[in-house]
Amino acid sequence: VAFHEEEARSRRGLKARLTRHQGWFFLPLLLLAGANLHVASARALAARGAKGRWTDVALLAAHWGLYLTGLLLVMTPLQALAFVVVHLAVLGVCMAGAFAPNHVGMPVIDRGARLDFLSRQVLTSRNVSGGAWVDFAMGGLNRQVEHHLFPSMPRPNLPRVQPIVRAFCDEHGIAYTEQTLVGSYRSIIGHLNRVGLKAGDPFTCQSAAHLRA
């Protein structure tokens, strides 16, 4: 998945054709997010100079050894394989499904841009509304703006500070984004397709875009 127009522009051939419609592949690709997490961990440990490399290698080996041994004690090899596939798919949907609505499609601030801490956190985050069931399903990450501003704050307190943060942002002209869960995924798919088609700048925030220019 290409999240930025520059990345999409660099693609050629079949990858380029798929990228033009990448938004529609995003949700199915969540099924692979869990497996990708493990692959990324292995690649990071394979890199030279990784801090605590051998400790992490030992822990990962112990994890997979115990995990697979436990499965094979109660299942046939094919059943164990099916369990691992389903487990990783569910992990990917639950993990990426909670993280993606918070940031994908939101402005990406250049490292050199001069933005204060508050603006940087608010402009790049999206809250997801929907009541108690969304709070439960997303583990409190649906109030991503407040979570970024107060990372050590206990989750039950985030709803209490949300009206204060929103009012402060309104007072100071800082764009505060909140959408429903369906609306957030609609924005994600639209953003990814726009990037794939190179139809416009994915950096849509006017105040941050001014600093980026």
Side-chain angles (χ1 to χ4, degrees):
V1 175
F3 293 99
H4 308 289
E5 186 177 339
E6 295 80 4
E7 185 180 358
R9 188 182 294 114
S10 67
R11 296 186 174 181
R12 298 291 183 273
L14 177 61
K15 184 178 288 189
R17 288 194 291 272
L18 292 175
T19 300
R20 293 191 187 100
H21 306 284
Q22 63 178 357
W24 303 113
F25 300 128
F26 180 72
L27 293 178
L29 285 175
L30 295 184
L31 295 169
L32 302 177
N36 183 64
L37 182 66
H38 289 285
V39 171
S41 298
R43 287 179 175 174
L45 291 177
R48 293 183 178 180
K51 187 176 181 180
R53 176 182 181 183
W54 294 113
T55 300
D56 288 339
V57 168
L59 290 173
L60 279 177
H63 162 76
W64 279 104
L66 292 172
Y67 177 58
L68 294 176
T69 299
L71 292 180
L72 292 173
L73 286 175
V74 296
M75 299 179 183
T76 66
L78 284 178
Q79 289 174 331
L81 176 61
F83 183 93
V84 171
V85 170
V86 173
H87 181 193
L88 291 178
V90 172
L91 169 64
V93 170
C94 292
M95 179 184 65
F99 292 154
N102 299 322
H103 293 293
V104 178
M106 297 301 291
V108 177
I109 309 297
D110 277 354
R111 291 184 178 181
R114 294 184 177 180
L115 280 180
D116 59 87
F117 175 80
L118 173 70
S119 297
R120 183 178 292 271
Q121 303 309 318
V122 175
L123 293 175
T124 59
S125 302
R126 176 195 292 116
N127 277 9
V128 180
S129 62
W133 80 271
V134 173
D135 289 347
F136 175 78
M138 299 188 67
L141 292 177
N142 52 308
R143 291 184 174 83
Q144 190 71 190
V145 172
E146 290 72 28
H147 171 66
H148 271 253
L149 292 174
F150 311 105
S152 61
M153 179 176 288
R155 185 185 68 177
N157 291 336
L158 294 178
R160 300 178 183 178
V161 301
Q162 184 178 12
I164 301 173
V165 173
R166 185 195 294 272
F168 185 88
C169 290
D170 289 343
E171 181 181 348
H172 291 81
I174 302 173
Y176 183 101
T177 303
E178 183 174 43
Q179 294 179 291
T180 64
L181 187 61
V182 173
S184 67
Y185 275 106
R186 186 182 294 117
S187 295
I188 290 171
I189 292 171
H191 165 77
L192 292 176
N193 281 335
R194 284 193 301 273
V195 170
L197 292 170
K198 296 176 289 185
D201 187 355
F203 201 104
T204 56
C205 174
Q206 296 301 317
S207 60
H210 173 72
L211 292 173
R212 194 184 189 195

